[in-house]
Amino acid sequence: MSHTYRYPRPALTVDIVVFGLDAEDLQVLLIERDGKPFRGQWALPGGFVDVGESPDDAARRELEEETGLSEIFLEQLYTFGNPGRDPREHVVTIAHYALVNLNEHDVKASSDARNAAWFSINDLPKLAFDHSEILKVALDRLRAKVRYQPIGFELLPKKFTLRQLQHLYELILDRELDKRNFRKKVLATEIVKETNQFEKDVAHRAARLYRFDQRKYDRMTKQGFNFEV
Amino acid sequence: MSHTYRYPRPALTVDIVVFGLDAEDLQVLLIERDGKPFRGQWALPGGFVDVGESPDDAARRELEEETGLSEIFLEQLYTFGNPGRDPREHVVTIAHYALVNLNEHDVKASSDARNAAWFSINDLPKLAFDHSEILKVALDRLRAKVRYQPIGFELLPKKFTLRQLQHLYELILDRELDKRNFRKKVLATEIVKETNQFEKDVAHRAARLYRFDQRKYDRMTKQGFNFEV
């Protein structure tokens, strides 16, 4: 495609911070680079925005190409464009963040990337480019957002215990929460509905499973709510 | 400058939503376009990002070139990149928003732009490109942010009455606030300090002037605060 504007322009990419949750930890998905620069280093999944492609579409395409992940919660984070951030030339990247439930998605490395793997946010390798900074901004956004939007729930399975939900918030906020107070506040939001099912195959006493009220959930994600736990 | 990546790339611009406050209204700064497309229509100030220039620098440069405004509060808003948003070619724009105090800055139209003017957000002309959508997102961001960051204060003069401060919040939040309750909450944040000065040349009884505690202000802008008025 020809350029209407003749003068040079920065290159444009997307990068995606994908958060996942396992029993232990909040995790982030990284790709081992097999191209220059930073060959062999870990980096966020991402790639170039095509002409005629929206940044959101580019992020979803790159994520699926590099990790096989699709149809997950994905939102624009921030655009990073300092001239020095890529040694090759001036590359501006539109960073996104995504939330996946590890029980329901599995991640494959793709042709584009040598290797894809989950890392605990408490035990990260050195990252290529300015990806450590992007990851920090994403984590800050996630921590801020769970206070006024129920997005954190995207990380849980369809049915979950209140203990799992509290654990999620404790991991994201990186502090312990009072059990009784947390449950009172969560149930007060009315996003969470009790089911008649209970945990299976657990050593401790089986706890009740809960699910979301999708309509309330969607409405509150739009309106925002004040959830100071 | 040559491109390391040979394939075509979207064009990259910045646009800036500049909010200002006068006695009556929350205002936004618009530019009358003198180039194609949308010649003669009103639009947000903005322009192309140079290679080797950060988006933030580009936004400040374009704002000064087109309006003469400099050294004001400016923050990245969101990146808009739908292929159809510019009739010429695929142009991705990194939108920013800025807050200025109209008493302390005056705006001149520059060589780049035929005409620059302030419009009440309640009485806007038809805007070029997708600038109406960008403006709406900026207004939503401003309304959300004044609840957890004291950024709204950027719109006031150095010394102000609590009536002015309440008026600012009422304009941004677009609803009336209870006077006693508002003052109690504002003073509780300790961002606002009373001075020994009073309004001059006012018909009504002269009210006390207040100023910000800059150190508390900066810290709270970083940390955020919960200011549900």
Side-chain angles (χ1 to χ4, degrees):
Chain A
M1 174 175 173
S2 73
H3 293 165
T4 305
Y5 312 113
R6 307 231 168 285
Y7 47 82
R9 52 193 69 186
L12 191 62
T13 60
V14 287
D15 288 301
I16 309 100
V17 180
V18 186
F19 291 111
L21 185 73
D22 72 2
E24 302 309 315
D25 248 336
L26 188 61
Q27 315 252 336
V28 63
L29 180 61
L30 298 176
I31 298 289
E32 192 177 15
R33 290 182 57 80
D34 66 353
K36 288 182 183 170
F38 301 105
R39 170 170 288 149
Q41 266 196 47
W42 294 95
L44 299 171
F48 288 92
V49 176
D50 292 336
V51 171
E53 177 182 51
S54 75
D56 187 84
D57 290 344
R60 293 180 185 279
R61 175 182 54 75
E62 285 290 343
L63 192 59
E64 183 154 18
E65 285 175 8
E66 292 198 333
T67 70
L69 287 171
S70 64
E71 287 171 16
I72 61 177
F73 175 94
L74 184 139
E75 211 171 64
Q76 192 184 116
L77 176 64
Y78 193 81
T79 297
F80 297 79
N82 286 338
R85 58 176 299 281
D86 188 314
R88 296 165 293 192
E89 69 167 288
H90 186 195
V91 178
V92 173
T93 193
I94 306 166
H96 292 66
Y97 73 104
L99 304 176
V100 301
N101 158 17
L102 295 184
N103 313 41
E104 289 169 14
H105 295 87
D106 79 332
V107 173
K108 63 161 172 55
S110 83
S111 54
D112 292 31
R114 185 186 287 157
N115 188 11
W118 292 96
F119 289 81
S120 162
I121 58 164
N122 301 313
D123 184 20
L124 292 167
K126 186 172 186 305
L127 300 186
F129 303 104
D130 54 356
H131 289 185
S132 298
E133 182 194 350
I134 294 174
L135 179 53
K136 186 191 172 308
V137 171
L139 204 48
D140 292 345
R141 175 77 60 93
L142 185 61
R143 284 178 176 148
K145 270 219 159 185
V146 291
R147 294 169 178 283
Y148 60 89
Q149 284 190 0
I151 61 168
F153 297 139
E154 309 278 350
L155 292 157
L156 291 173
K158 296 256 169 301
K159 289 172 183 173
F160 51 87
T161 66
L162 293 182
R163 192 187 343 92
Q164 284 177 296
L165 184 59
Q166 178 173 347
H167 183 58
L168 166 66
Y169 271 79
E170 288 178 334
L171 287 174
I172 292 175
L173 299 175
D174 195 27
R175 57 184 172 86
E176 297 215 337
L177 300 171
D178 174 70
K179 180 176 167 180
R180 279 187 62 243
N181 187 31
F182 178 82
R183 297 188 171 208
K184 210 171 74 224
K185 284 189 167 164
V186 167
L187 296 173
T189 67
E190 298 183 332
I191 297 171
V192 172
K193 269 201 151 72
E194 167 179 298
T195 73
N196 297 323
Q197 293 159 273
F198 290 80
E199 288 180 298
K200 292 191 181 59
D201 316 320
V202 287
H204 54 81
R205 180 169 150 283
R208 183 182 292 277
L209 294 175
Y210 290 76
R211 62 175 183 79
F212 303 118
D213 181 327
Q214 193 63 47
R215 274 197 11 270
K216 276 217 175 63
Y217 179 64
D218 296 340
R219 201 173 65 237
M220 294 199 78
T221 304
K222 274 201 204 62
Q223 295 173 353
F225 67 164
N226 191 339
F227 187 54
E228 284 297 338
V229 289
Chain B
M1 174 177 174
S2 73
H3 293 165
T4 305
Y5 311 113
R6 307 231 166 281
Y7 48 81
R9 52 192 68 186
L12 191 61
T13 60
V14 288
D15 288 301
I16 309 101
V17 180
V18 186
F19 291 110
L21 184 73
D22 72 3
E24 301 310 314
D25 247 337
L26 187 61
Q27 315 251 336
V28 63
L29 180 61
L30 299 176
I31 298 289
E32 191 177 14
R33 291 181 56 80
D34 65 355
K36 287 182 184 171
F38 301 104
R39 170 170 287 146
Q41 267 196 46
W42 293 95
L44 299 171
F48 288 92
V49 176
D50 292 336
V51 171
E53 177 183 51
S54 75
D56 186 83
D57 290 344
R60 293 181 185 280
R61 175 182 53 75
E62 286 289 343
L63 192 58
E64 184 155 18
E65 285 174 8
E66 293 199 332
T67 70
L69 286 172
S70 63
E71 287 170 16
I72 61 177
F73 174 94
L74 185 139
E75 213 171 63
Q76 191 184 115
L77 176 65
Y78 194 81
T79 297
F80 296 78
N82 286 338
R85 59 175 299 280
D86 188 314
R88 296 164 293 191
E89 69 166 288
H90 186 194
V91 178
V92 173
T93 193
I94 307 166
H96 292 66
Y97 73 104
L99 305 176
V100 301
N101 159 16
L102 295 185
N103 314 40
E104 290 168 15
H105 295 87
D106 79 333
V107 174
K108 62 162 172 54
S110 84
S111 54
D112 292 32
R114 186 185 289 158
N115 187 11
W118 292 97
F119 289 81
S120 162
I121 58 166
N122 301 313
D123 184 19
L124 292 167
K126 186 173 185 305
L127 300 186
F129 304 105
D130 55 356
H131 288 185
S132 299
E133 182 194 351
I134 294 174
L135 178 54
K136 186 191 173 308
V137 171
L139 204 49
D140 291 345
R141 174 77 61 93
L142 185 61
R143 285 178 176 147
K145 270 218 160 186
V146 291
R147 294 169 179 282
Y148 59 89
Q149 283 190 1
I151 58 167
F153 297 139
E154 310 278 349
L155 292 157
L156 290 174
K158 295 258 169 302
K159 289 171 184 175
F160 51 88
T161 66
L162 292 182
R163 192 187 341 94
Q164 284 176 295
L165 184 58
Q166 178 173 346
H167 183 57
L168 167 65
Y169 271 79
E170 289 178 332
L171 286 173
I172 292 175
L173 299 176
D174 196 26
R175 58 185 170 87
E176 297 215 336
L177 300 171
D178 174 71
K179 179 176 169 179
R180 280 190 59 243
N181 187 31
F182 178 82
R183 296 186 172 210
K184 211 169 75 224
K185 285 189 167 166
V186 167
L187 296 174
T189 66
E190 298 183 332
I191 298 171
V192 173
K193 272 200 148 70
E194 86 175 23
T195 73
N196 298 323
Q197 293 159 274
F198 290 80
E199 287 180 299
K200 294 192 179 59
D201 316 320
V202 287
H204 54 79
R205 181 170 149 282
R208 184 182 291 277
L209 295 174
Y210 290 76
R211 61 174 183 79
F212 303 119
D213 180 328
Q214 194 62 47
R215 274 196 12 270
K216 277 218 173 65
Y217 179 65
D218 296 340
R219 201 172 66 236
M220 294 199 79
T221 304
K222 273 200 205 62
Q223 293 172 353
F225 66 164
N226 192 339
F227 187 54
E228 284 296 338
V229 288

